[in-house]
Amino acid sequence: MSDTQKLTAAQQTVGDFSPKIVELTDKVLFGDVWERKELAPRDRSLITVASLITGGNSEQLGFHLSKAKAKRIFYTQYFISNP
């Protein structure tokens, strides 16, 4: 991998000792499951963020909040639409 290519979160976390987990996370989870057309990306992010908040999973929340923000989902929009 070249120095200019950005590492995925999975590569950064477990890439050195578990390349198969990286492959499954990047190609299957985010490349196939996450990109399915049955649910809009905006709705998928809203559901994911809401699930992480209600489940108390703060470790993954920062990653998914930044992804939601990149999709132009703003925190006020989430909280206003989900009182």
Side-chain angles (χ1 to χ4, degrees), residues 40-67:
R42 175 192 177 277
D43 296 338
R44 190 180 319 275
S45 284
L46 284 171
I47 291 166
T48 301
V49 169
S51 297
L52 290 171
I53 290 171
T54 58
N57 300 345
S58 59
E59 184 176 309
Q60 296 176 353
L61 191 56
F63 172 80
H64 287 284
L65 282 173
S66 67
K67 292 292 185 187

Side-chain angles (χ1 to χ4, degrees), residues 7 12 16 26 28 30 42 49 52 63 72 78 81:
L7 297 176
Q12 292 173 10
D16 290 339
D26 291 344
V28 177
F30 287 113
R42 175 192 177 277
V49 169
L52 290 171
F63 172 80
R72 313 265 320 142
Y78 169 77
S81 64

